[in-house]
Amino acid sequence: MSAGLLYTIGFILSVIIALVMTPLVKKFAFKVGAIDKPNYRKVHTRIMPRMGGLAIYAAFVVGLLLLLPFVPDGLLTASNMNLIWAMLAGGTIIIVLGSFDDRFELSAKVKLLGQIAAACVVVFVFDIKIDFLNFPFGDAMQPIAAWLSIPLTIFWIVGVTNAINLIDGLDGLAAGVSGIAIGTILVMAIIMGNVPIILLSTLLLGGIVGFLFFNFHPAKIFMGDSGALFLGFCLAMLSMISFKQITIVSFVTPLLIIGVPLSDTFFAIIRRLVNKRPIFAPDKGHLHHCLQELGFSHRKTVLIIWGVAAIFGGFAILQSTVVQSNAANWITFLVICLVMLCLQIGAELIGIVDKTRRPVINFLNRMRLRLKVDADRSK
């Protein structure tokens, strides 16, 4: 069996498993009481089943186990298999943690400890760490000491895992954004010929596509913390493995891949600091809340954020494909500046941090007026 056929079968198999498992998970969630009740922070108005992440997890794991016996000899090395088992082991811890949270609503401390435990399994059991950094203006991959690489890896895994959970506020939002990010990683992996990343990304993407049939608005089931945390963990692992293994991926590329959840998390922290609220206090100031306040419908809000995620993905692919060229450093610098400017202007327009403070927009307006006055004088 050729590699291309293997990936195609894996994707189709994963979609089918998700389509079959999601209705079963829905019944199971109602049976065990893993339900989401409406409140002032949530947009749904009826009781909804959670634990949808179990269907995505089942599609990924079952698809992988069914596919592995048919992998051509030599396609996956021992190192590749180590990465795959690390993903399965850590992902299993995360899905169990998320499922318990969907049913019993665990405290933030318990969830954090569980995420750290999953990250520690990856680092200490499977010896997967960020060993090298390639900064935008660095000439080569720079090795980093173990005392820095271990906490950096754990911080990356825990941070990205939670970032996806924070944007899970609308039907299909977190699943779609995760799917776009994984699709971006898949495209980059195909370009670079990274076999394990292609295989894992294909299976995950299939599970997400199958689940979205039931999760897009109006949703029949929520992915819950089980799904959001699992997809966040998988994104952290896939982006980190690419970041670790492939020297042509620069420091900013994995940040661009998950740009939407990371930027929403960043602005949430800034917003809470500005308003003198606890950093972990929930609010209705996230990106999807702000867009809905501007009058966009549920579906349009989700599609807009999907579009922003796709733009981030495009930047990531551009960055990864040009980083070996002579102009790579300058392109990286321009991409960073452009992304930061767009993020700041967008944040000010929708009021994601503060409804009244618009320093960059006000500065640009003053510059525009000054240029207009200078032009009138020169006539």
Side-chain angles (χ1 to χ4, degrees):
M1 184 185 298
S2 67
L5 180 60
L6 182 77
Y7 303 143
T8 303
I9 291 174
F11 176 79
I12 296 172
L13 188 63
S14 185
V15 171
I16 293 172
I17 294 172
L19 288 172
V20 172
M21 287 299 300
T22 304
L24 299 177
V25 170
K26 179 182 175 182
K27 292 180 180 179
F28 176 73
F30 275 123
K31 186 174 182 178
V32 300
I35 55 176
D36 198 330
K37 298 179 180 179
N39 62 33
Y40 76 98
R41 288 187 58 248
K42 298 174 181 177
V43 297
H44 63 280
T45 56
R46 58 192 174 93
I47 294 176
M48 293 289 293
R50 296 194 283 195
M51 281 192 178
L54 286 175
I56 301 174
Y57 173 80
F60 172 68
V61 174
V62 175
L64 179 62
L65 295 178
L66 289 176
L67 217 59
L68 282 178
F70 300 96
V71 174
D73 292 338
L75 190 64
L76 293 173
T77 65
S79 176
N80 295 155
M81 291 306 300
N82 183 62
L83 298 175
I84 291 173
W85 297 131
M87 190 111 152
L88 284 176
T92 300
I93 294 173
I94 290 295
I95 200 73
V96 171
L97 176 72
S99 297
F100 272 97
D101 186 52
D102 286 339
R103 173 58 184 88
F104 300 106
E105 297 188 3
L106 305 177
S107 68
K109 286 183 179 180
V110 171
K111 288 194 287 185
L112 181 61
L113 288 174
Q115 294 161 23
I116 292 174
C120 287
V121 167
V122 170
V123 171
F124 296 108
V125 177
F126 295 93
D127 195 30
I128 295 176
K129 302 185 296 291
I130 300 174
D131 297 320
F132 296 89
L133 292 180
N134 186 2
F135 292 94
F137 285 89
D139 294 329
M141 299 290 284
Q142 302 296 322
I144 54 177
W147 66 267
L148 179 59
S149 68
I150 290 174
L152 179 61
T153 304
I154 294 173
F155 176 79
W156 176 262
I157 293 174
V158 173
V160 177
T161 298
N162 281 287
I164 297 299
N165 197 29
L166 285 175
I167 66 166
D168 187 22
L170 295 178
D171 298 351
L173 179 57
V177 169
S178 299
I180 291 168
I182 291 170
T184 301
I185 294 173
L186 175 60
V187 171
M188 292 168 56
I190 291 172
I191 293 172
M192 299 167 187
N194 192 319
V195 173
I197 304 301
I198 297 173
L199 179 62
L200 295 172
S201 299
T202 300
L203 291 167
L204 275 172
L205 192 58
I208 291 171
V209 171
F211 177 71
L212 274 172
F213 277 95
F214 303 92
N215 185 237
F216 193 63
H217 186 72
K220 298 178 179 64
I221 184 174
F222 291 162
M223 66 161 51
D225 275 19
S226 57
L229 294 177
F230 175 67
L231 289 179
F233 173 81
C234 290
L235 272 173
M237 287 292 293
L238 290 175
S239 58
M240 183 186 71
I241 292 169
S242 300
F243 186 23
K244 168 189 173 73
Q245 295 284 315
I246 307 168
T247 58
I248 69 171
V249 179
S250 79
F251 179 69
V252 299
T253 304
L255 300 179
L256 290 170
I257 291 171
I258 52 175
V260 167
L262 283 188
S263 57
D264 194 37
T265 302
F266 171 76
F267 284 122
I269 293 172
I270 298 299
R271 178 175 63 252
R272 290 161 190 172
L273 289 175
V274 168
N275 295 312
K276 298 180 180 180
R277 298 190 59 188
I279 291 178
F280 295 104
D283 59 25
K284 294 193 71 172
H286 289 285
L287 176 59
H288 54 277
H289 293 130
C290 294
L291 289 173
Q292 287 194 301
E293 286 181 8
L294 292 176
F296 292 104
S297 67
H298 194 124
R299 285 195 176 198
K300 285 184 178 179
T301 298
V302 171
L303 292 174
I304 288 171
I305 299 176
W306 283 9
V308 174
I311 292 172
F312 272 108
F315 275 129
I317 293 171
L318 172 66
Q319 172 61 31
S320 67
T321 54
V322 303
V323 77
Q324 284 186 315
S325 69
N326 294 330
N329 289 338
W330 287 108
I331 292 175
T332 298
F333 178 72
L334 290 174
V335 166
I336 293 172
C337 291
L338 181 60
V339 169
M340 295 301 293
L341 179 62
C342 291
L343 280 175
Q344 181 62 33
I345 292 175
E348 292 179 11
L349 284 173
I350 66 175
I352 196 170
V353 174
D354 191 283
K355 304 295 184 184
T356 58
R357 301 179 185 178
R358 296 184 171 185
V360 173
I361 292 177
N362 291 337
F363 171 76
L364 293 175
N365 284 334
R366 288 194 300 269
M367 291 295 296
R368 181 177 59 82
L369 291 174
R370 183 174 296 178
L371 290 173
K372 183 178 180 181
V373 169
D374 290 343
D376 291 340
R377 287 177 179 174
S378 62
K379 289 181 181 179

